[in-house]
């Protein structure tokens, strides 16, 4: 191999005029111990002879990291001077420089982290505002598929958007959170006024004959509106997560009124545990908080003749749906208040309400008629009232003891075959879930089994939650509840 020689250390071919090995970095004048006794025998031609472009050079004469003597040949060799310089360094010199560079980079990163500035790697430190922003999920506003987390940073409502002077409240379906006002709160909201009265809503039409099981007596509970809530103010009232908590009555207020109104309604079951002292027009739809005309003891279990449930939990889910639509701009506040009024079950199931008619014109006084004949006696007799059917049994047989927020949960219940059932879930925060999986009304199969699967919102707070199941069949109904943990 003309003009070439082999490295005395690793045996790699090197140019005859090279003073170092590009593979192992052997320095001039340095040979393996075995070769030092007879360099010519170990590697004929060693040491290489200096040339004009590469004068003799000794690292001992100029230090550990001398200026590279062969830089003059860089242009002719076509290699960058820096590369040539690096290749010419001894192994120990390279190790020393690499260690120094690593220490410098680590020190720079530590200083950057301490000062809250980006580190050498380009990643923002934990104390940097940019780092905080990057770590935040930035929720868009009640939770997701569940809505239980509400329109907020983890529970809040997505407030109104502003364009000029027009306020158009909008809440994404995945972020709208219901504000449950079931049974009041342990203590009254900061703005609750126990003596405040509301305004009567417009008449929804219909007559006493239209009243369905689960709807209030319009003479006792016509409903009442909160004058502070209007279409123009929903962006600062009902569409703000947690706003209803500021006006919610205390449990002592609603429990006292419940006892009084159970007597006024003449219920045969006088147990207060059987009823929810509910706002007819809910607080989240602009109902008056303290007006007795807007509160009534609503049965937890009730149903239509065909078994469709009409109890308190059914109304709760309807209220949540309407509030979400109002805050999203899908319907107006007045439309929602009209649907949740004294004929709310008609609106929920799409049952027509009879239109009010003009008073009938008095008929002429009939002429005297003969005594009653067989025609009169042939009229069918009015059937005697029958005793109410015995309640059906309902049992929740399947429900996880704990569910992680953001995960799916499945609930299984057993009741009478053919019964129509509904389910609802109230989380530890008092929020009633509006997850799509809980809005169905399945009919129990031949084994009496029904089930629901829903997603617990990613921002749902931890704590003890309660699941409810209500089933109805042939005028009879029953319910069951069970606690579970959200973790």
């Amino acid at each position: 191999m003309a003009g070439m020689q082999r490295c005395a250390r690793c045996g790699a071919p090197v140019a005859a005029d090279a003073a170092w090995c590009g593979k192992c970095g052997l320095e001039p004048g340095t040979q393996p111990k075995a070769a030092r006794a007879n360099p010519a025998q170990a590697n004929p031609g060693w040491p290489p002879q200096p040339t004009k472009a590469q004068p003799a050079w000794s690292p001992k004469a100029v230090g550990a990291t001398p200026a590279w003597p062969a830089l003059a040949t860089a242009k002719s060799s076509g290699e960058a001077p820096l590369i040539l310089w690096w290749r010419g360094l001894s192994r120990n010199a390279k190790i020393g420089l690499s260690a120094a560079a690593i220490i410098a980079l680590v020190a720079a990163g530590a200083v950057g982290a301490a000062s809250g500035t980006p580190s050498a790697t380009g990643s923002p430190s934990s104390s940097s505002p940019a780092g905080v922003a990057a770590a935040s999920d930035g929720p868009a506003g009640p939770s997701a598929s569940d809505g239980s987390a509400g329109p907020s940073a983890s529970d809040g409502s997505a407030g109104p958007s502003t364009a000029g002077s027009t306020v158009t409240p909008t809440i994404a379906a995945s972020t709208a959170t219901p504000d449950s006002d079931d049974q009041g709160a342990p203590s009254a909201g900061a703005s609750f006024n126990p003596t405040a009265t509301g305004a009567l809503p417009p008449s929804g039409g219909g007559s006493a004959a239209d009243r369905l099981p689960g709807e209030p007596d319009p003479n006792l509970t016509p409903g009442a509106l909160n004058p502070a809530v209007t279409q123009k103010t929903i962006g600062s009232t009902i569409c703000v997560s947690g706003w209803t908590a500021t006006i919610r009555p205390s449990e002592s207020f609603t429990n006292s009124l419940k006892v009084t109104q159970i007597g006024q309604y003449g219920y045969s079951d006088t147990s207060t545990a059987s009823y929810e002292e509910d706002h007819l027009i809910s607080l989240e739809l602009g109902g008056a908080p303290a007006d007795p005309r807007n509160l009534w003891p609503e049965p937890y279990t009730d149903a239509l003749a065909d078994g469709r449930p009409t109890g308190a939990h059914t109304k709760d889910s309807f209220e949540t749906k309407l509030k979400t639509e109002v805050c999203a701009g899908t319907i107006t506040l007045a439309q929602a208040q009209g649907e949740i009024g004294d004929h709310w079950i008609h609106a929920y199931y799409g049952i027509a309400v009879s239109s009010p008619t003009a008073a009938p014109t008095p008929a002429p006084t009939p002429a005297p008629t003969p005594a009653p004949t067989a025609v009169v006696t042939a009229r069918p007799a009015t059937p005697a009232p029958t005793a109410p059917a015995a309640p059906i049994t309902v049992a929740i047989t399947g429900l996880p003891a704990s569910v992680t927020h953001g995960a799916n949960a499945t609930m299984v219940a057993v009741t009478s075959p053919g019964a129509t059932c509904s389910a609802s879930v109230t989380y530890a925060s008092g929020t009633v879930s509006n997850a799509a999986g809980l809005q169905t009304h399945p009919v129990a199969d031949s084994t009496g089994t029904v089930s629901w699967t829903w997603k617990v919102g990613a921002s749902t707070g931890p704590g003890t939650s309660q699941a409810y199941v209500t089933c109805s069949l042939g005028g009879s109904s029953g319910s069951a509840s069970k606690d579970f943990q959200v973790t």
Side-chain angles (χ1 to χ4, degrees):
M1 190 179 297
M4 299 294 292
Q5 61 180 330
R6 290 191 176 276
C7 175
R9 176 185 295 165
C10 66
V14 296
D17 59 350
W20 78 98
C21 174
K23 182 175 181 181
C24 68
L26 182 66
E27 297 180 22
T30 304
Q31 296 189 51
K33 292 180 180 179
R36 288 177 184 172
N38 189 352
Q41 182 180 358
N43 184 10
W46 177 266
Q49 298 300 315
T51 63
K52 292 182 180 180
Q54 181 179 311
W57 168 76
S58 170
K60 295 180 180 179
V62 295
T65 56
W68 181 240
L71 293 183
T73 64
K75 294 183 179 178
S76 61
S77 67
E79 294 189 76
L82 184 60
I83 296 176
L84 292 173
W85 174 79
W86 177 258
R87 287 182 178 177
L89 295 177
S90 68
R91 177 175 296 179
N92 290 339
K94 290 178 180 179
I95 293 174
L97 286 174
S98 299
I102 292 172
I103 293 173
L105 288 174
V106 171
V111 171
S115 61
T117 57
S119 66
T121 61
S123 301
S125 69
S126 61
S127 60
S128 165
V132 174
S136 172
D137 289 333
S143 135
S145 58
D146 184 50
S148 62
S152 73
S154 35
D155 150 22
S157 78
S161 61
T162 305
S165 60
T166 303
V167 177
T168 306
T170 56
I171 290 185
S174 62
T175 58
T177 301
D179 285 312
S180 172
D181 47 74
D182 301 350
Q183 296 283 30
S187 58
S191 301
F192 175 71
N193 182 354
T195 62
T197 58
L200 289 176
S203 173
S207 63
D210 285 309
R211 183 183 172 193
L212 295 174
E215 291 180 339
D217 183 340
N219 295 316
L220 295 173
T221 315
L225 303 178
N226 184 347
V229 181
T230 66
Q231 187 66 42
K232 291 183 179 180
T233 65
I234 59 175
S236 59
T237 54
I238 63 172
C239 294
V240 175
S241 177
W243 179 82
T244 59
T246 66
I247 60 169
R248 188 170 299 152
S250 64
E251 289 179 351
S252 60
F253 178 91
T254 56
N255 287 342
S256 174
L257 189 59
K258 181 194 295 188
V259 172
T260 300
Q261 291 183 333
I262 286 176
Q264 292 174 345
Y265 267 81
Y267 291 139
S268 57
D269 179 3
T270 58
S271 171
T272 56
S274 301
Y275 308 95
E276 173 188 316
E277 187 67 11
D278 196 19
H279 291 92
L280 175 59
I281 300 174
S282 65
L283 301 185
E284 60 185 335
L285 292 174
D291 195 324
R293 296 173 299 177
N294 193 44
L295 285 151
W296 101 102
E298 180 183 19
Y300 280 112
T301 58
D302 215 337
L304 300 178
D306 59 8
R308 286 179 289 178
T310 61
H313 298 307
T314 302
K315 183 172 181 291
D316 290 341
S317 64
F318 190 32
E319 292 167 355
T320 297
K321 173 180 178 292
L322 292 175
K323 182 226 176 156
T324 301
E325 293 177 350
V326 169
C327 293
T330 307
I331 61 175
T332 66
L333 177 64
Q335 287 174 317
Q337 291 172 341
E339 292 195 8
I340 205 63
D342 52 14
H343 292 300
W344 71 269
I345 295 173
H346 288 77
Y348 184 70
Y349 286 116
I351 302 172
V353 177
S354 63
S355 301
T357 57
T361 303
T365 303
T369 57
T373 63
V375 174
V376 176
T377 59
R379 294 176 60 189
T382 302
T386 58
I392 61 176
T393 60
V394 179
I396 298 176
T397 58
L399 182 66
S402 64
V403 181
T404 303
H405 63 273
N408 288 336
T410 298
M411 175 169 58
V412 180
V414 175
T415 184
S416 300
T420 301
C421 302
S422 64
S424 66
V425 171
T426 301
Y427 292 114
S429 63
T431 298
V432 178
S433 171
N434 65 345
L438 295 172
Q439 306 306 312
T440 60
H441 302 283
V443 176
D445 61 19
S446 59
T447 64
T449 301
V450 287
S451 64
W452 296 264
T453 297
W454 77 100
K455 184 175 182 179
V456 178
S459 56
T460 300
T464 302
S465 303
Q466 191 168 37
Y468 302 89
V469 174
T470 301
C471 299
S472 302
L473 178 66
S476 298
S477 61
S479 63
S481 64
K482 192 170 185 178
D483 291 346
F484 66 98
Q485 297 291 323
V486 173
T487 58

